[in-house]
Each structure stands twice: as structure tokens, then as C-alpha cells.
Amino acid sequence: MLRASLTALVLCAGTAAAAEMRVEDAASRIATPAAQAGALYMRIFNETGQDDRLLAARSDAAAETQLHVSAQDAGGVMRMTPVEDGLPVAAGEVLTLESGGAHVMLMGLERPLPETAAVTLIFERAGEVRLDVPLTVGMSDGHAGH
Ligand SMILES: [Cu+2]
């Protein structure tokens, strides 16, 4: 399994430079100034020409960065769980990270809170994609959690 992914990365490094993962509308939600954790949302356009999978993310703005999915449990309560096998994004498709769905979770936010989080998305085939996401406290939809 590990060997297969490494081979894919090496093959991928030789492909055209124009193909890319394009990220739009990156935003954050941190409920309160004292919150220990925050969520990042964005849209990821797979313009690499090949099916891929978002495996993980990391950031300098938090002690730990995880991929989560939110879903209602049997009792109707929204819960979030870590993504285990990555989030698939087929060639030409869009992976949307949004409130109530999949998101990047920053756990153990740095203090003082940086204005911007440098985030690295790690894809199975496209490798690492870096972006900066502004960190904003208290988005106005009245949701205390996410
Ligand atoms: Cu989460």
C-alpha cells in the first residue's frame, strides 16, 4: 500500500506543470476567541486530469490538523469523525469542504491566534498543495460548534 502510493507520487512528478489542484473560497470558522479548535472550509477543483484523494492536511496554526466529516447519528445529533481513507476527488470534479460536511479541523490552535494559517493539503497523487487561510473568529451564522 505504502509502496504503491510512493510510486504514484514519483510518476506524477514528471507530468505537466499546468495540471493542478485549484483551491477557492478557503475560509475558517472559529467559534469564540478562546476556542481550542476551528474548522476550515474550501472548494478544491481537481484539474490534474487524474482521480485523486485528499489524504491529510497539516498547518502551523494548530498542534494537530485532521480531516473530519460531520454526520447526524441515529439520535439526530451532529457528530464529527476523523476521515480514515481520505476524501476522493475525481478528475474534473470539485471536493467541497463545508459546514455540516467534510472539513479540515485545526485542533489546539496556536496562541496568540495567527491572522493566517499556512495549510498544506496532502493528496495521494498530486502531492502537497499549500495555501493560506485567514483565521476569523465568530462567523455570523450563530452556530456555536460546527
Ligand atoms: Cu471537525
Side-chain angles (χ1 to χ4, degrees):
M1 171 59 190
L2 180 59
R3 178 161 305 173
S5 350
L6 287 175
T7 306
L9 283 177
V10 170
L11 290 175
C12 200
T15 58
E20 60 171 6
M21 289 286 178
R22 186 164 53 85
V23 179
E24 285 189 4
D25 303 329
S28 61
R29 181 187 295 162
I30 298 167
T32 70
Q36 296 295 307
L40 302 182
Y41 307 121
M42 65 195 74
R43 291 192 297 156
I44 302 167
F45 294 79
N46 182 353
E47 297 176 350
T48 65
Q50 56 187 354
D51 296 348
D52 210 333
R53 190 173 282 269
L54 176 60
L55 296 178
R58 61 173 187 263
S59 175
D60 64 354
E64 189 176 357
T65 305
Q66 297 183 349
L67 298 180
H68 282 176
V69 283
S70 297
Q72 277 191 359
D73 70 11
V77 178
M78 286 295 272
R79 297 190 188 283
M80 51 185 192
T81 50
V83 171
E84 292 191 354
D85 298 321
L87 299 165
V89 54
E93 296 290 317
V94 184
L95 173 60
T96 302
L97 307 185
E98 59 190 343
S99 178
H103 55 275
V104 173
M105 194 86 213
L106 301 178
M107 307 176 76
L109 289 166
E110 286 292 316
R111 295 291 181 233
L113 192 66
E115 286 185 10
T116 308
V119 177
T120 301
L121 304 176
I122 300 156
F123 293 92
E124 188 171 54
R125 302 182 79 176
E128 298 190 353
V129 173
R130 290 170 215 280
L131 65 150
D132 292 321
V133 184
L135 294 181
T136 50
V137 173
M139 282 176 66
S140 56
D141 65 1
H143 236 64
H146 75 279

